[in-house]
Amino acid sequence: MKKYDNVFIFDHPLIKHKIAILRDKNTGMKQFRELIEEITTIMTYESMRDVELVPVQVETPLEVTTQYKVREESIAIVPILRAGLGMVNGVHRVFPTAKVGHIGMYRDEQTLEPKEYYCKLPQGIEDKTVFLVDPMLATGGSAVDALNALKKRGCTKIKFMAIIAAPCGLERVATAHPDVTVYVSTLDRQLNENGYILPGLGDAGDRLFGTK
Ligand code: PRP
Ligand code: URA
């Protein structure tokens, strides 16, 4: 795949270990959900490297010192429903007070085109750093449309986190939204004829919520 300045692919042994268990068809719903959360937390740490810090005065038992904190109120999380919901707690572990918006989308099984069915975003989201999250980036249609929806609401600082991506979908998002940094834990080989990622992990929503 071509190199993109706005794409960050993780190459961390701990993530590889967790992804191996996540992919296994014998991994049950509880462990699947926990792994999605844990991987998201690791990704969140890395994706916050450029976050803005503000100076604060802290009184230690010995003296007053200037320290630096993230403005938690400047962070928002937006999962793409359904499967993105599985990543919200992973970001909340790092920023427990981050506000959460929701964008509902499903892929038409024939055309693979995303259909938006819900959108509710926190007030003032346009001033926040937004983490758009969805574990699966396949054709890239859902992510591109969700990013368009966020930009229509005035968001300018957006990071997109996906756990597994197909090369074609990743290229599509990186090209359509060069101003958005895309964090992907694992780049897979290809899509199959039904738009599923190979080797992938199957349907993330179904595995998270036990719907199949
Ligand atoms: C999955 C996944 C993404 C989308 C990725 O959702 O969670 O949102 O497919 O595919 P794309 O890159 O080709 O758009 P799905 O449509 O299965 O809905 P669900 O999460 O409600 O199961
Ligand atoms: N959505 C999923 O849940 N899995 C895939 O492999 C592709 C899209």
Side-chain angles (χ1 to χ4, degrees):
M1 203 189 90
K2 199 181 131 192
K3 252 191 152 296
Y4 291 87
D5 288 344
N6 60 326
V7 172
F8 187 95
I9 298 170
F10 286 74
D11 183 26
H12 195 290
L14 193 54
I15 288 188
K16 286 199 167 108
H17 170 82
K18 290 180 189 295
I19 290 282
I21 307 168
L22 195 68
R23 289 190 197 279
D24 190 329
K25 66 177 187 184
N26 296 313
T27 297
M29 187 175 71
K30 176 174 180 290
Q31 195 181 10
F32 189 89
R33 193 168 59 232
E34 289 166 355
L35 285 162
I36 290 274
E37 240 180 83
E38 288 166 12
I39 294 166
T40 304
T41 299
I42 299 169
M43 293 176 76
T44 305
Y45 282 118
E46 189 58 40
S47 62
M48 294 304 284
R49 275 188 187 281
D50 61 351
V51 76
E52 188 194 345
L53 296 172
V54 289
V56 290
Q57 295 300 105
V58 173
E59 200 175 339
T60 78
L62 300 174
E63 63 176 15
V64 174
T65 167
T66 304
Q67 298 293 302
Y68 297 88
K69 277 188 168 175
V70 176
R71 282 193 304 115
E72 282 204 41
E73 66 279 11
S74 70
I75 309 278
I77 312 166
V78 177
I80 302 177
L81 309 181
R82 290 174 301 165
L85 282 176
M87 297 175 73
V88 172
N89 283 348
V91 185
H92 262 157
R93 276 193 200 168
V94 185
F95 297 113
T97 61
K99 300 262 169 50
V100 183
H102 297 87
I103 297 180
M105 278 186 183
Y106 70 90
R107 289 198 310 177
D108 180 290
E109 283 182 13
Q110 307 305 322
T111 64
L112 300 183
E113 285 302 314
K115 306 272 180 225
E116 183 179 319
Y117 59 87
Y118 187 76
C119 185
K120 177 99 180 169
L121 301 171
Q123 250 184 8
I125 193 163
E126 60 280 2
D127 299 322
K128 298 182 189 293
T129 296
V130 180
F131 281 85
L132 179 69
V133 294
D134 190 333
M136 308 307 278
L137 174 52
T139 66
S142 305
V144 167
D145 281 11
L147 289 166
N148 285 336
L150 289 174
K151 287 183 179 177
K152 222 188 253 173
R153 269 290 297 267
C155 300
T156 55
K157 291 167 280 177
I158 313 172
K159 293 168 183 285
F160 175 56
M161 287 202 293
I163 292 186
I164 293 190
C168 58
L170 184 54
E171 293 197 20
R172 183 169 167 192
V173 177
T175 308
H177 292 285
D179 54 324
V180 173
T181 316
V182 182
Y183 299 88
V184 167
S185 98
T186 305
L187 183 62
D188 269 9
R189 196 176 69 243
Q190 66 184 91
L191 294 182
N192 73 6
E193 62 284 5
N194 299 317
Y196 276 84
I197 301 173
L198 295 175
L201 49 72
D203 189 302
D206 285 339
R207 294 195 65 182
L208 272 166
F209 301 112
T211 35
K212 256 190 200 147

